[in-house]
Amino acid sequence: MELFANLYTGFEVALTPLNLLYCLGGVFVGTLIGVLPGLGPTATIAMLLPVTFGLPPVSALIMLAGIYYGAQYGGSTTAILINLPGESSSVVTALDGYQMARQGRAGLALSTAALGSFFAGTVATFLLALFAPPLAEIALKFGPAEYFSLMVMGLVASVVLAHGSLIKAIAMILLGLLLGLVGTDVTSGTPRFTFDVPELADGINFVIVAMGMFGLGEIIRNLENEETRDVFSRKITGLLPTWQDIKSITAPVLRGTALGSALGILPGGGAMLSSFAAYSLEKKISKNSKNFGKGAIEGVAAPESANNAGAQTSFIPMLTLGIPSNPVMALMIGAMIIQGIQPGPQVMTEQPALFWGIIVSMWVGNFFLVVLNLPMIGLWVRMLTVPYHLLYPAILVFCGIGVFSLNNSTFDVYLMALFGILGYVLSKLDCEPAPLLLGFILGPMMEEYLRRAMVLSRGDPMVFVERPISATMLALAVIGLIVVLLPSIRKKREEAFTEEG
Amino acid sequence: MSGLGIRNQKDFYSGLLFILFGVAFMWIARDYNFGTARRMGPAFFPVILSGILIAIGIAIAVRGVTVAEEPMRGFTLKGLVLVIIGTLLFGFLVRSAGVPIATAALVAVSAYASQRFNWKPTLVLAIGMAVFCTVVFIYALGLPMPVRGPWLGG
């Protein structure tokens, strides 16, 4: 079986002592920072990116993937213990998880989240290993028209599935696309939107935008209403689920895993959508649906499995096509480029050790999360007691050092400050930063594929609808847009997202 | 603001902001070669994108005068200014004075934005972060950043 040969290659890479150490380190640091309220996976990865600069490519990516899971796991812990979801995908976990904690079942909620996540992670890793090669093969046949249409579909999907105002999300994507074009035009060599600033000739680094908007912008926003947090000080006991608990979470975990794996592959999907969809599904089919929101264990098991599965399978478009489906994947792509790897379908064939090493290390990372983090829950709870007014200056320092060390450039630090202002103002205006970031990373790619497709078709835009794969993707994008614009569905979508928030 | 007939400030101002960005990008791109559909010039893609952005910005702004919603909550000017100044100061100091000084300065300035600011823990944090970052990033991770800048004879 080729699958097992591939996995074997992966295990060989992932299980070297050094890579195990980086995986462990990533998971640990990721959890540590993820537990700190107000810091989700995107900000955590952006902040810690410089730490990986000096590592070999495989180790760097393994560590970053570990940070990603760790941060996500940390987000669930805060959601359960202090009703403060560290990131959007654990919003629904807070609904029932926090209630369980208040009823003295915090330990059970935490272990349910951990075990559900681990199971989902295991399944999703297998799916990834199974589906990545055929997808990469198809991707190799993609021409510029297919790539362009795929990105259009991805961007449309990201607004359709995201929460908040649809039209504002589209505007944010466009703004992101435009900002992504800053720099030297590859085809003509013309410097665009650079204001004759030499530092802008290569374009704006993605990390600067991410840290400015997710780091600085978020901190300023938090300073608006500093509240005292209700710190969970009780000792956490009862971590081990009983046989009865395991029986009651089995089905929700299975359903969550399936749903999450499917939704994670969708561009713009990933962890957030998965957890939300799994929660509403569970609530609909559960016999004791009136318990939801009051500490139902299914309400923790399903979304936690789903978001972990989704997080995992969202690597599929990134690894096989080189296209990010969410800001975290965009950061991973940024990290690959810094390491000198051009993401895309050729990575799998040209660097099998790297490709399979990353995939297997995801599973290893998930394993570490369970065996390390449940016993160390006391430490994470202590982290929660760090007051925010001492926390945010430290975060700012990490952002500053991280951005400065990208190019040893002070200009980048000033630029980050500028994006901090922009991020704060936009978030005050209820404009989500995630679509902007997605547009930002896709902008240059989209333009290049558009240009190439048009050169090949001699200027005939029909090329996008004449080629079947491209046409299908564009059709899906159009259908997606029409569907959310239909009044009845629009109302449902709004209801759904209000319920979530 | 209601005197102007703006019923939803968030929509109105974000629409305005998007229009502003669209116009700016289009204005700057006017100097670049537009090209043809077959051989797109550097202006082609940005001009089309900014055109759509302006159109959507108008739609959002119009919605802002027609659909009422809760008003915007006030800006935290103190937080905004201190966080930004702290960051700029860090950028200014990091090369000329070195990482420890820049770090301490950023902590001190930004911490003052909190309502719970207290100079004693802030001082401890500033020194602690300066030491931590110097040890971890410069000595342990080997990032090429100055410990002492030229100002301190480095």
Side-chain angles (χ1 to χ4, degrees):
Chain A
M1 275 289 278
E2 207 189 345
L3 172 67
F4 291 106
N6 288 333
L7 287 178
Y8 182 74
T9 315
F11 270 108
E12 268 186 332
V13 176
L15 294 184
T16 60
L18 206 62
N19 284 339
L20 276 177
L21 195 70
Y22 285 126
C23 184
L24 184 67
V27 166
F28 181 81
V29 179
T31 314
L32 195 75
I33 298 187
V35 169
L36 301 174
L39 275 174
T42 314
T44 308
I45 294 188
M47 256 170 55
L48 294 177
L49 205 55
V51 176
T52 66
F53 284 168
L55 305 181
V58 190
S59 309
L61 289 166
I62 284 178
M63 185 165 180
L64 285 171
I67 292 171
Y68 177 36
Y69 305 131
Q72 202 156 36
Y73 185 94
S76 311
T77 306
T78 50
I80 290 170
L81 292 181
I82 54 170
N83 200 19
L84 209 134
E87 26 105 26
S88 51
S89 69
S90 41
V91 168
V92 289
T93 307
L95 296 178
D96 279 291
Y98 182 61
Q99 290 304 321
M100 285 180 75
R102 289 188 56 177
Q103 294 159 12
R105 293 192 293 156
L108 181 60
L110 289 167
S111 59
T112 301
L115 295 173
S117 296
F118 177 63
F119 175 80
T122 308
V123 173
T125 304
F126 263 103
L127 289 176
L128 186 52
L130 211 58
F131 287 114
L135 267 174
E137 209 134 300
I138 299 172
L140 284 171
K141 298 196 180 83
F142 275 21
E146 280 81 10
Y147 266 108
F148 179 79
S149 303
L150 180 72
M151 289 184 219
V152 172
M153 184 180 82
L155 287 174
V156 169
S158 77
V159 290
V160 169
L161 304 171
H163 53 168
S165 159
L166 188 72
I167 188 165
K168 280 185 184 169
I170 297 177
M172 288 294 273
I173 286 185
L174 287 162
L175 185 56
L177 287 168
L178 282 166
L179 289 169
L181 298 180
V182 172
T184 310
D185 171 33
V186 198
T187 318
S188 67
T190 314
R192 290 189 293 184
F193 313 110
T194 56
F195 304 99
D196 292 325
V197 176
E199 281 91 344
L200 285 177
D202 286 334
I204 303 167
N205 193 308
F206 177 74
V207 179
I208 297 171
V209 184
M211 287 220 230
M213 296 191 71
F214 279 94
L216 267 57
E218 193 63 27
I219 286 174
I220 301 168
R221 179 120 212 193
N222 286 339
L223 282 172
E224 244 168 45
N225 45 342
E226 289 177 74
E227 317 160 32
T228 37
R229 290 198 305 270
D230 175 18
V231 175
F232 191 90
S233 50
R234 263 177 296 170
K235 200 159 164 50
I236 294 162
T237 50
L239 275 173
L240 281 181
T242 63
W243 187 237
Q244 185 58 40
D245 295 328
I246 291 179
K247 265 202 285 191
S248 59
I249 63 171
T250 303
V253 164
L254 287 174
R255 284 190 288 264
T257 303
L259 199 61
S261 305
L263 291 175
I265 303 172
L266 284 181
M272 198 282 281
L273 176 74
S274 306
S275 64
F276 174 65
Y279 187 80
S280 14
L281 175 76
E282 240 16 80
K283 198 173 169 184
K284 250 179 214 125
I285 62 174
S286 169
K287 273 180 232 123
N288 57 346
S289 56
K290 58 179 188 305
N291 266 350
F292 274 72
K294 295 181 196 136
I297 192 169
E298 300 96 320
V300 174
E304 277 301 303
S305 317
N307 82 34
N308 210 41
Q312 206 98 318
T313 53
S314 65
F315 274 85
I316 291 180
M318 195 277 272
L319 286 171
T320 57
L321 303 163
I323 293 178
S325 55
N326 55 46
V328 172
M329 290 304 123
L331 277 171
M332 296 292 285
I333 286 190
M336 284 174 104
I337 293 171
I338 288 171
Q339 294 282 353
I341 303 161
Q342 187 56 47
Q346 68 287 347
V347 173
M348 197 188 74
T349 42
E350 281 165 20
Q351 311 211 32
L354 175 102
F355 185 88
W356 293 103
I358 294 173
I359 291 185
V360 171
S361 79
M362 291 176 184
W363 182 79
V364 177
N366 274 290
F367 181 72
F368 280 148
L369 274 180
V370 176
V371 297
L372 272 181
N373 285 345
L374 283 182
M376 282 168 40
I377 192 71
L379 175 69
W380 307 135
V381 174
R382 293 258 309 272
M383 288 297 298
L384 288 174
T385 58
V386 176
Y388 193 71
H389 67 275
L390 292 179
L391 190 60
Y392 77 85
I395 299 172
L396 283 173
V397 168
F398 285 126
C399 291
I401 289 188
V403 160
F404 177 71
S405 63
L406 284 174
N407 297 314
N408 257 350
S409 152
T410 49
F411 179 81
D412 287 352
V413 180
Y414 301 146
L415 204 57
M416 173 178 74
L418 196 68
F419 276 101
I421 301 173
L422 183 67
Y424 174 62
V425 170
L426 284 169
S427 83
K428 284 298 288 184
L429 297 170
D430 278 352
C431 298
E432 293 271 322
L436 184 143
L437 281 146
L438 211 50
F440 181 84
I441 196 99
L442 289 179
M445 288 195 237
M446 273 183 93
E447 184 185 30
E448 196 174 332
Y449 286 120
L450 175 69
R451 278 174 159 183
R452 272 200 236 158
M454 293 300 268
V455 169
L456 291 175
S457 74
R458 294 161 207 280
D460 182 5
M462 290 305 282
V463 65
F464 294 106
V465 289
E466 277 162 359
R467 299 177 63 113
I469 300 179
S470 163
T472 312
M473 289 188 286
L474 284 183
L476 285 173
V478 173
I479 292 170
L481 270 186
I482 293 174
V483 164
V484 279
L485 287 172
L486 288 178
S488 62
I489 294 178
R490 194 167 161 183
K491 205 164 148 240
K492 263 227 162 94
R493 178 177 175 271
E494 269 157 24
E495 272 170 21
F497 284 120
T498 338
E499 187 182 351
E500 176 208 3
Chain B
M1 280 302 166
S2 55
L4 291 165
I6 300 164
R7 315 262 290 273
N8 182 342
Q9 299 179 353
K10 284 182 210 158
D11 275 0
F12 183 75
Y13 290 117
S14 55
L16 226 53
L17 193 64
F18 289 129
I19 297 171
L20 195 76
F21 270 109
V23 170
F25 272 99
M26 205 182 251
W27 175 254
I28 301 169
R30 81 197 184 283
D31 291 336
Y32 311 145
N33 173 23
F34 193 75
T36 62
R38 181 171 173 184
R39 291 247 169 250
M40 290 181 190
F44 197 100
F45 198 53
V47 165
I48 290 179
L49 289 180
S50 27
I52 308 175
L53 183 60
I54 293 169
I56 292 183
I58 292 172
I60 298 174
V62 165
R63 200 174 63 167
V65 261
T66 52
V67 186
E69 218 198 88
E70 57 184 296
M72 212 156 72
R73 284 176 47 206
F75 281 70
T76 164
L77 208 57
K78 188 179 168 194
L80 179 69
V81 169
L82 288 173
V83 165
I84 296 303
I85 287 185
T87 308
L88 294 177
L89 195 64
F90 174 86
F92 179 67
L93 288 175
V94 70
R95 188 164 286 143
S96 44
V99 169
I101 302 274
T103 299
L106 172 55
V107 170
V109 172
S110 64
Y112 190 62
S114 170
Q115 290 151 17
R116 289 200 204 96
F117 173 80
N118 189 331
W119 67 269
K120 259 188 207 151
T122 303
L123 193 70
V124 174
L125 183 71
I127 296 171
M129 282 305 289
V131 173
F132 177 83
C133 289
T134 310
V135 170
V136 169
F137 289 105
I138 301 180
Y139 292 118
L141 291 166
L143 295 182
M145 294 186 290
V147 179
R148 279 193 312 159
W151 284 6
L152 303 173

